[in-house]
Amino acid sequence: MMTARNRYGILAPPLAMFALLVLLTLIGPMAWPHNAYDMDFAAVLAPPSWDHPMGTDANGRDVLARFLDGGRLSLLVGVVVMVGGLVPGALLGILAARLGGVVDAFVMRMSDSIAAFPPILLAMAVAIGLGGGLATAVLGVILSTLPFFARLMRSETRRILAMPFIEAARAMGASPALIVMRHVLPHSASTMLVQSAAVFGYGIATLAGLGFVGLGAPIPTAEWGVMITDGMPYALTGQWWIAVFPGLGILLAVSAANMLADRLSGLLRGDGEEVRP
Amino acid sequence: MTPRTDVKLLAAAALLAVAQSGAAAAAPFVVNTGQAPATIDPAYVCDIADNGYVSPLYAPLLTYARKSVAGPDGVTVTAEDSGKIVGNLAESYTVSKDGLTITIKLKPGLKFASGNPLDGPAAAASLNRALKSGGCGSYYMEAAQTGNTQSIAAPDAGTVVITLKKPEPLVVDALTQPNLGMVDVKTVDANGGKDWLATNAAGSGPYMLKSYQPGVRAEFVANPNWSGAAPLETEITVNFISDPSALLLQARNGGANVTLGMPQQALQSLAGAPDLKIVSVPASRWLLASLPNKQAPFDNVKVRQALSYATPYEAILKSVLFGYGDSFYGPFPPAFATFKEELGAARPYDLEKAKALIAESGVPQPIVLDLAIREGLPAHEQIATILQGAWKQIGVDVRITKLSASAFAEAVVVPQKAGALIRFDGPSIQDPAWLLNYDLRCASPYNTANYCSADAEALLDEALPLADAAKRQEIWDKIAALWIEDAPRIPLYADRYTAVLSADVKHWDFSQDGPFELQLWGR
């Protein structure tokens, strides 16, 4: 039989990747001597070297310094999108499930409306409509995640509210708010955690996509998506390092988030547990 | 394998080789370019690059003579000689002594591509169409002097007479422009007018439009009714490819005979490629950062001067242009005949002087400047980033905004400029009067800096009626000196127009009014 240590051990690789990225982006900019915004026109498009391990870009800026600075922003955006989608989305899901009727129909139709648009297009529409910039881009990405959380939470809440122990709690005089706090939230937490991990990766990737089409962070902010956009024209002329390193950063962060989500999901479903006769 | 089989195989291979060589000779000449035109109606085309797509289809009455220009080995490169106007569809032209009447005699037997006769009445109808269009055609027909045309008439089948209310020598220059190329008005009217002409052609030039997909492709075939020298290529395909990487890949893979609009950094990567040649011609086009001269604190000349000294011109040339450009400072670029080194030399990057000028200005810091760039132009974005970093050192906080093409076009012509703009400037007609009429006049919507100098405008008014080139030059020098002192804009670099040619291209030509004198390009 698989022990609890073994079971949770499968979370170690994605968590280690996260820890590495977080440490790099938090401590790195303080430790690394180059600044993300200083231009050195004597070192334009320099290939990776000991002085510039990730090379320099077209303005002579150190790509590693921008990678570290941009990574901090990208990871922060992932967290903001995750929390910004989770809290209102879950609240709407609980309200829809608990109140039913018109409220349920309204929340679900709103979710359908939002989900009808491809997420990247919706985020682009919001970012363009509200004037561009990092804040509006993040807002657009958050909006596109609301249906993920609202639908899931509604479904979880309805499932939990139908359980016998909820009937018992009601019989003991528990208020609806108390039932939500004491029973619905704890029992749905694991499912929402899995969804949150997936949304974290989605947030980073979508913001990078918006940055790629010029709707992300403003110039000259370092952000992985914007860095890829800046580096693309140089990929075919031999200066691969400008786009490849931020691309690797996104790959690592999104892979770690998706791996964590998958493995958490597997654990919660009981995958790998020995079935007793 | 028998000897007879060998012979058959050899014969088949020879036939195939002959067929392939024939197909190669007949293959269309391919031009890949980064910019697609918004319209191909000559009366409404305004962008200098868009003019180029109109030029092969609509022949003007007059044209500039050509001159030889240095080019790569094995390629004959020519360019327009802006000082010499000659007949094109016109046999001759005369200007009356009072400068009010321009009489143009047409060559006999001219026809439009449709086969309709291109005679005096048809030519007058075409010029009147441009005049009444309300688009750039009107601007060109009147050489910026709105309402100055008394009449355009055809007193007989071979003559067109333009009568002006007051003399304007630049009308003759304007008659060389694609915007005033001869349009078959009968065909246009029969097909529904200007909406039809935006994507179709009713022309008179060396080529006809075989097919056109806006934003995708245009196919040109030689016009059998063209009376001038036969074009070097009978069929030309122009592909509009906005992605610079795709342009580069196509050029590398031999997918185009001519590639236009490639970023300088990509050009640099092709230097030395055995199958490609790069042709680079100095052009009267320049990238500038216009400053909002009427907005505080940029109405303070010291602030504008400080920005001009804090601009790292050499860094821009090195890291953005890779040498395909030149620095200068003043209203006229080096390619202008009226340019003088002592008045237009590059401004040195002098941070200490810039800081001192900011201190002298008395303007509190930080100074905020909104700088707009057109989206989709990585080089402009890179330059904006460089300016942002450089100007920060003198306490100017630059906020960069990327605008869509349409929003940027609006920002260019809005009467009160709210911020700075990075954009190309360059007159179709390389004459200081043509340039200054839109760039210097306080009321001009194309005065992108809202620069108003009563002294400079008075000098311009003084120069316009002068025929003596030396006296005009004296005035241009005075205007240049005033402009340099006022620093209304920052010329970032003078462009060198570049094209990538495949090894089999032997002829290439450059025109200021758009690079597409396609009939002069060929293998």
Side-chain angles (χ1 to χ4, degrees):
Chain A
M1 191 176 79
M2 189 178 279
T3 63
R5 188 174 172 179
N6 284 343
R7 287 173 59 207
Y8 288 102
I10 61 171
L11 299 181
L15 287 175
M17 282 160 73
F18 267 129
L20 177 70
L21 283 173
V22 170
L23 277 175
L24 271 176
T25 56
L26 284 181
I27 299 168
M30 290 181 273
W32 186 241
H34 294 289
N35 183 288
Y37 302 97
D38 286 348
M39 299 182 204
D40 178 2
F41 295 111
V44 166
L45 298 176
S49 62
W50 284 113
D51 193 31
H52 301 287
M54 291 186 183
T56 64
D57 68 8
N59 289 330
R61 293 175 297 195
D62 183 70
V63 175
L64 175 56
R66 292 182 68 73
F67 174 87
L68 298 171
D69 213 67
R72 188 163 44 181
L73 182 62
S74 293
L75 295 175
L76 180 66
V77 163
V79 172
V80 169
V81 168
M82 184 179 74
V83 175
L86 173 66
V87 173
L91 188 64
L92 285 171
I94 292 168
L95 284 174
R98 180 68 189 82
L99 300 176
V102 178
V103 175
D104 186 25
F106 178 75
V107 170
M108 285 305 99
R109 294 301 77 76
M110 285 296 290
S111 288
D112 290 345
S113 305
I114 294 173
F117 293 95
I120 185 82
L121 284 186
L122 180 71
M124 282 172 72
V126 172
I128 292 169
L130 296 180
L134 187 61
T136 53
V138 170
L139 189 65
V141 180
I142 288 174
L143 188 64
S144 71
T145 66
L146 285 182
F148 303 161
F149 288 112
R151 285 187 164 280
L152 191 63
M153 193 67 205
R154 172 180 176 271
S155 151
E156 280 293 287
T157 306
R158 285 171 71 119
R159 181 182 66 80
I160 294 162
L161 288 179
M163 294 279 187
F165 63 86
I166 299 292
E167 196 67 32
R170 283 197 188 111
M172 292 170 69
S175 68
L178 189 69
I179 289 172
V180 168
M181 296 299 290
R182 285 274 176 85
H183 301 292
V184 175
L185 290 182
H187 282 89
S188 60
S190 54
T191 306
M192 298 308 282
L193 188 64
V194 173
Q195 181 71 358
S196 299
V199 164
F200 175 83
Y202 162 84
I204 293 174
T206 309
L207 189 83
L210 288 176
F212 190 74
V213 295
L215 291 171
I219 301 167
T221 308
E223 188 269 324
W224 285 345
V226 172
M227 289 173 72
I228 292 174
T229 313
D230 290 347
M232 279 301 287
Y234 300 92
L236 287 177
T237 55
Q239 294 84 21
W240 51 269
W241 52 89
I242 306 172
V244 162
F245 288 114
L248 278 175
I250 291 174
L251 180 72
L252 276 176
V254 175
S255 300
N258 288 341
M259 201 187 295
L260 187 65
D262 283 351
R263 293 184 177 192
L264 268 176
S265 177
L267 276 177
L268 294 169
R269 282 199 313 268
D271 290 356
E273 278 191 82
E274 196 173 313
V275 179
R276 295 180 184 211
Chain B
M1 193 179 284
T2 64
R4 183 170 287 182
T5 315
D6 280 351
V7 170
K8 281 181 182 172
L9 280 173
L10 279 171
L15 278 172
L16 186 64
V18 169
Q20 281 179 337
S21 68
F29 190 79
V30 176
V31 177
N32 285 349
T33 177
Q35 184 176 332
T39 174
I40 53 170
D41 183 338
Y44 294 92
V45 163
C46 287
D47 187 282
I48 196 164
D50 289 3
N51 280 346
Y53 305 103
V54 167
S55 177
L57 302 170
Y58 299 93
L61 296 175
L62 307 176
T63 191
Y64 289 116
R66 317 314 290 180
K67 63 182 178 186
S68 291
V69 176
D73 287 345
V75 184
T76 303
V77 180
T78 52
E80 66 184 22
D81 181 349
S82 61
K84 194 174 178 187
I85 295 173
V86 296
N88 192 36
L89 296 179
E91 200 166 54
S92 63
Y93 74 96
T94 55
V95 181
S96 63
K97 279 187 178 173
D98 60 6
L100 295 176
T101 308
I102 302 164
T103 305
I104 300 157
K105 293 281 182 193
L106 297 178
K107 288 176 181 171
L110 295 173
K111 284 181 181 175
F112 286 107
S114 64
N116 290 337
L118 203 174
D119 53 12
S126 176
L127 294 180
N128 275 311
R129 179 181 186 274
L131 176 66
K132 292 170 186 167
S133 66
C136 277
S138 307
Y139 186 89
Y140 277 80
M141 191 61 241
E142 304 217 281
Q145 306 300 321
T146 307
N148 191 37
T149 307
Q150 183 78 41
S151 66
I152 301 171
D156 59 59
T159 310
V160 183
V161 177
I162 301 167
T163 309
L164 306 177
K165 293 175 183 170
K166 59 180 183 181
E168 178 45 78
L170 288 175
V171 171
V172 173
D173 289 81
L175 288 168
T176 65
Q177 297 301 299
N179 308 74
L180 302 184
M182 290 296 103
V183 175
D184 184 354
V185 176
K186 276 186 188 170
T187 300
V188 176
D189 291 345
N191 284 282
K194 73 170 189 178
D195 288 345
W196 177 80
L197 202 61
T199 53
N200 292 278
S204 52
Y207 285 97
M208 301 189 304
L209 199 58
K210 181 181 171 188
S211 70
Y212 179 54
Q213 288 176 271
V216 180
R217 179 180 298 113
E219 291 180 302
F220 299 89
V221 288
N223 173 7
N225 289 318
W226 171 243
S227 60
L232 294 174
E233 296 286 342
T234 53
E235 194 165 345
I236 295 183
T237 300
V238 178
N239 297 310
F240 307 116
I241 300 173
S242 58
D243 178 13
S245 302
L247 277 177
L248 177 62
L249 275 178
Q250 285 266 317
R252 272 186 187 165
N253 297 337
N257 297 104
V258 176
T259 305
L260 305 171
M262 201 179 283
Q264 284 85 352
Q265 172 265 338
L267 281 171
Q268 181 242 3
S269 76
L270 293 177
D275 299 333
L276 297 171
K277 300 166 190 172
I278 297 173
V279 59
S280 170
V281 182
S284 294
R285 307 171 190 207
W286 58 100
L287 193 76
L288 58 86
S290 64
L291 303 170
N293 282 230
K294 284 188 180 172
Q295 293 274 329
F298 304 98
D299 54 352
N300 186 320
V301 68
K302 299 283 183 193
V303 173
R304 298 197 302 267
Q305 287 175 344
L307 290 172
S308 73
Y309 280 103
T311 300
Y313 303 97
E314 285 303 316
I316 290 171
L317 283 185
K318 183 184 172 196
S319 67
V320 185
L321 296 176
F322 295 90
Y324 292 105
D326 301 294
S327 282
F328 73 104
Y329 193 83
F332 309 126
F336 254 49
T338 48
F339 174 82
K340 279 189 174 174
E341 182 65 30
E342 62 268 30
L343 282 170
R347 178 148 281 190
Y349 172 64
D350 189 339
L351 199 56
E352 292 312 311
K353 185 165 186 171
K355 285 177 180 170
L357 283 163
I358 286 285
E360 281 176 41
S361 74
V363 173
Q365 295 180 40
I367 297 167
V368 176
L369 174 64
D370 287 313
L371 175 64
I373 54 173
R374 189 176 142 180
E375 68 180 7
L377 297 171
H380 293 197
E381 187 173 326
Q382 193 187 344
I383 289 172
T385 309
I386 291 172
L387 294 180
Q388 187 182 49
W391 291 350
K392 192 173 185 180
Q393 297 176 73
I394 58 168
V396 177
D397 184 6
V398 177
R399 296 187 303 208
I400 300 168
T401 313
K402 283 194 264 186
L403 301 178
S404 65
S406 57
F408 190 81
E410 278 178 34
V412 168
V413 295
V414 69
Q416 287 293 323
K417 319 300 181 195
L421 296 166
I422 289 183
R423 68 183 286 266
F424 266 113
D425 197 358
S428 303
I429 293 167
Q430 297 180 61
D431 185 291
W434 185 276
L435 167 68
L436 297 174
N437 267 332
Y438 70 79
D439 229 17
L440 182 80
R441 292 205 182 275
C442 198
S444 165
Y446 295 99
N447 178 347
T448 50
N450 279 149
Y451 173 47
C452 291
S453 164
D455 292 344
E457 266 198 77
L459 284 166
L460 175 58
D461 289 332
E462 194 183 320
L464 288 180
L466 292 179
D468 185 327
K471 284 183 181 170
R472 280 165 74 98
Q473 181 67 51
E474 280 176 27
I475 294 179
W476 305 141
D477 292 349
K478 286 179 188 171
I479 289 176
L482 282 173
W483 193 101
I484 289 166
E485 180 62 23
D486 286 344
R489 303 181 183 87
I490 297 167
L492 298 164
Y493 65 85
D495 196 26
R496 293 184 67 83
Y497 194 84
T498 50
V500 179
L501 313 180
S502 60
D504 55 352
V505 176
K506 302 284 188 292
H507 303 273
W508 193 78
D509 179 87
F510 171 74
S511 294
Q512 170 67 10
D513 57 23
F516 283 21
E517 296 292 340
L518 285 186
Q519 70 274 20
L520 301 176
W521 295 10
R523 290 167 282 195

